[in-house]
């Protein structure tokens, strides 16, 4: 696991919804507990998941670090600790916890993390729609036909033909799983490209174009993966494990 | 979420399932996918004298996607190529009573129609050029 120089420090400064404590009206600048009255403060609606964990918008994430931060913040916001507090504090802790859980779930999974990052960055990148993979579509439709044929055969009762087709589908399944794995490692490769571009302090057009390109490529891999996964799910449901 | 009766009907009795040979004369093929859900739709038209005489589809996807493409093929049959261009996804939404979460299925069907028409026109264009080329002896 790579170490990061910009690792979050102990004193956190999260973007909060307000600059003033909802309770005692004293100024709060990024503390999630008011410095004066120690009441919990609501997280900003604009807070993105990376910022919530005080991570740069990189795709290779130190998962241990992520987990540690999650536990730390969970302890701060968990509704259990607010059961004796007033309604407002309970509501805030519930809202913050829910946000935190979603953020953690999203960032923990590399695929969801990439999808989320693309969504976040998509504002800067119009029309990120990828090229339709024609060959893949044809393959999927053919495979689906085989799946349907097999389903019909099984209804008639097992036969040598249905066994043969099952064998074929089993092979296809292995093939698709390999393909999905290959897509995922291709995506991981792009993570490095993205992170490299993100850590370069450059604002040229060329740099922006490069970033857009990487986002597009990732989007394309993710789309293709969705197609493969979708037919794979059907296949597994049909032939069983 | 319950499907409308029309969706269920198209799902249980899909019209015009199948395919034409892509290379066949007058056949236009559109094959599109929705990257959000992994649905794939293939829609083909057979054109004679600028009229769609037959249409077929194959869809891998949910009930609404199947119903949208099934309905599309029904509508396409007998229409002129020009009129076919006018089919909008909103017409499909209305006819099938699709809920908001399933609107993308109708968009996919419209995309498939457009792609099939585009493919047909491209093929027709290429054929024309080919003939002209042969006529001038080049």
């Amino acid at each position: 696991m790579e170490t990061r120089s910009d690792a979050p420090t102990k004193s956190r400064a999260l973007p909060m919804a307000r600059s003033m404590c909802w309770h005692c009206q004293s100024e709060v600048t990024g503390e999630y507990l008011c410095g004066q009255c120690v009441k919990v403060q609501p997280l900003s609606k604009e807070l993105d998941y990376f910022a919530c964990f005080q991570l740069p918008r990189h795709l290779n994430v130190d998962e241990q670090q992520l987990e540690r931060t999650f536990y730390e913040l969970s302890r701060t916001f968990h509704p259990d600790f607010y059961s004796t507090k007033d309604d407002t504090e309970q509501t805030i802790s519930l809202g913050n916890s829910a946000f935190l859980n979603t953020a953690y779930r999203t960032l923990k999974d590399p695929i969801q993390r990439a999808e989320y990052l693309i969504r976040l960055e998509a504002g800067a990148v119009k029309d990120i729609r990828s090229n339709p993979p024609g060959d893949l579509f044809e393959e999927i439709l053919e495979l689906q036909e085989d799946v349907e044929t097999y389903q019909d055969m099984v209804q008639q009762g097992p036969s040598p033909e249905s066994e043969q087709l099952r064998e074929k589908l089993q092979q296809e399944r292995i093939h698709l799983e390999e393909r999905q794995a290959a897509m995922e490692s291709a995506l991981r490769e792009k993570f490095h490209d993205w992170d490299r571009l993100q850590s370069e302090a450059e604002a040229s057009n060329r740099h922006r174009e490069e970033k857009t390109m990487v986002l597009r490529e990732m989007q394309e891999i993710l789309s293709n993966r969705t197609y493969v996964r979708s037919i794979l799910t059907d296949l597994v449901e049909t032939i069983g494990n | 979420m319950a499907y409308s009766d029309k969706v269920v009907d198209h799902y249980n009795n899909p019209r015009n399932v199948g395919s034409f040979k892509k290379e066949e004369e007058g056949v236009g093929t559109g094959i599109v996918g929705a990257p959000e859900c992994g649905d794939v739709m293939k829609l083909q038209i057979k054109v004679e004298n600028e009229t769609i005489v037959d249409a077929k589809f194959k869809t891998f996807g949910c009930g609404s996607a199947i119903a949208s493409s099934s309905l599309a093929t029904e509508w396409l049959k007998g229409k002129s190529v020009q009129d076919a261009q006018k089919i909008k996804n909103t017409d499909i939404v209305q006819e099938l009573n699709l809920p908001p979460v399933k609107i993308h299925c109708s968009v996919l069907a419209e995309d498939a129609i457009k792609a099939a028409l585009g493919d047909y026109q491209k093929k027709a264009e290429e054929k024309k050029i080919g003939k002209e080329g042969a006529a001038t002896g080049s």
Side-chain angles (χ1 to χ4, degrees):
Chain A
M1 205 52 61
E2 61 188 298
T3 49
R4 222 180 272 290
S5 55
D6 49 1
T9 51
K10 273 284 163 215
S11 65
R12 301 195 175 284
L14 293 179
M16 310 307 282
R18 291 170 237 213
S19 56
M20 197 189 271
C21 172
W22 58 270
H23 185 252
C24 71
Q25 269 90 45
S26 62
E27 193 188 355
V28 284
T29 48
E31 303 95 348
Y32 40 71
L33 300 177
C34 172
Q36 292 300 315
C37 67
V38 212
K39 298 274 187 199
V40 67
Q41 304 295 314
L43 287 167
S44 164
K45 293 265 190 299
E46 272 109 66
L47 184 64
D48 75 61
Y49 300 162
F50 289 96
C52 177
F53 283 89
Q54 297 201 313
L55 291 168
R57 282 191 195 176
H58 282 198
L59 284 170
N60 287 301
V61 164
D62 182 339
E63 283 170 28
Q64 285 177 344
Q65 174 73 54
L66 187 76
E67 195 182 35
R68 270 199 304 274
T69 313
F70 173 64
Y71 287 141
E72 191 186 312
L73 289 170
S74 290
R75 275 193 296 274
T76 311
F77 296 134
H78 201 284
D80 283 358
F81 301 126
Y82 293 86
S83 54
T84 57
K85 303 285 168 78
D86 64 42
D87 284 355
T88 316
E89 275 198 279
Q90 283 187 29
T91 311
I92 292 171
S93 90
L94 206 62
N96 286 358
S97 289
F99 182 89
L100 187 65
N101 287 334
T102 316
Y104 180 59
R105 245 197 337 268
T106 307
L107 292 188
K108 207 176 123 171
D109 177 57
I111 301 290
Q112 283 191 51
R113 191 191 308 148
E115 284 173 339
Y116 179 71
L117 180 104
I118 292 170
R119 270 208 306 284
L120 271 184
E121 298 281 336
V125 186
K126 286 274 170 267
D127 193 29
I128 209 159
R129 234 187 136 96
S130 49
N131 296 323
D135 296 350
L136 180 62
F137 288 175
E138 295 276 10
E139 249 184 277
I140 287 173
L141 291 171
E142 265 170 45
L143 208 55
Q144 189 216 6
E145 243 169 81
D146 284 344
V147 167
E148 278 170 7
T149 311
Y150 178 73
Q151 282 166 342
D152 289 344
M153 277 179 172
V154 169
Q155 280 198 340
Q156 313 282 327
S159 63
E161 287 83 21
S162 77
E163 261 319 295
Q164 217 178 345
L165 188 53
R166 188 179 197 283
E167 192 48 47
K168 185 188 171 209
L169 291 173
Q170 186 59 37
Q171 288 304 318
E172 292 286 0
R173 178 195 165 171
I174 294 167
H175 174 67
L176 283 171
E177 278 168 348
E178 283 168 359
R179 206 151 151 188
Q180 192 180 333
M183 285 172 172
E184 281 164 17
S185 46
L187 187 70
R188 289 292 201 146
E189 285 299 311
K190 298 285 164 209
F191 280 15
H192 293 290
D193 293 346
W194 173 260
D195 290 357
R196 181 179 49 79
L197 289 165
Q198 279 290 73
S199 42
E200 287 167 9
E202 225 189 290
S204 66
N205 276 337
R206 198 189 53 81
H207 192 255
R208 253 196 303 279
E209 274 162 25
E210 268 184 71
K211 278 166 86 171
T212 305
M213 180 75 91
V214 176
L215 288 175
R216 258 208 197 110
E217 287 165 344
M218 287 196 292
Q219 179 65 64
E220 190 153 318
I221 296 171
L222 284 167
S223 298
N224 292 355
R225 182 181 168 277
T226 313
Y227 295 122
V228 168
R229 238 170 77 98
S230 178
I231 185 78
L232 201 51
T233 310
D234 249 38
L235 202 53
V236 172
E237 263 174 30
T238 305
I239 60 174
N241 281 305
Chain B
M1 182 201 63
Y3 283 124
S4 73
D5 291 347
K6 277 177 182 160
V7 171
V8 174
D9 180 38
H10 275 283
Y11 180 74
N12 288 330
N13 312 292
R15 287 36 150 200
N16 313 310
V17 174
S19 58
F20 305 121
K21 280 212 170 61
K22 270 182 160 180
E23 312 75 36
E24 208 179 314
E25 204 181 317
V27 167
T29 305
I31 179 156
V32 294
E36 305 81 27
C37 55
D39 286 3
V40 175
M41 205 178 267
K42 176 172 162 185
L43 194 145
Q44 291 182 298
I45 49 167
K46 198 184 231 171
V47 183
E48 278 170 23
N49 301 320
E50 288 301 293
T51 301
I52 297 167
V53 291
D54 206 355
K56 293 216 179 293
F57 84 93
K58 260 186 211 173
T59 293
F60 169 67
C62 67
S64 299
I66 291 167
S68 295
S69 38
S70 171
L71 177 70
T73 55
E74 267 197 326
W75 278 354
L76 284 168
K77 280 201 215 176
K79 270 203 171 60
S80 70
V81 170
Q82 212 180 356
D83 284 346
Q85 305 271 15
K86 293 177 196 154
I87 297 175
K88 288 269 164 295
N89 85 291
T90 43
D91 304 332
I92 298 169
V93 172
Q94 223 163 30
E95 175 67 20
L96 295 176
N97 215 347
L98 294 179
V101 290
K102 292 291 179 186
I103 286 176
H104 69 271
C105 299
S106 69
V107 175
L108 198 59
E110 189 189 316
D111 285 351
I113 295 172
K114 294 257 152 68
L117 289 166
D119 183 54
Y120 160 73
Q121 275 158 344
K122 200 178 117 211
K123 269 172 76 178
E125 202 65 32
E126 279 167 3
K127 209 181 118 198
K128 223 172 97 187
I129 292 166
K131 266 188 187 162
E132 278 167 4
T136 54
S138 56

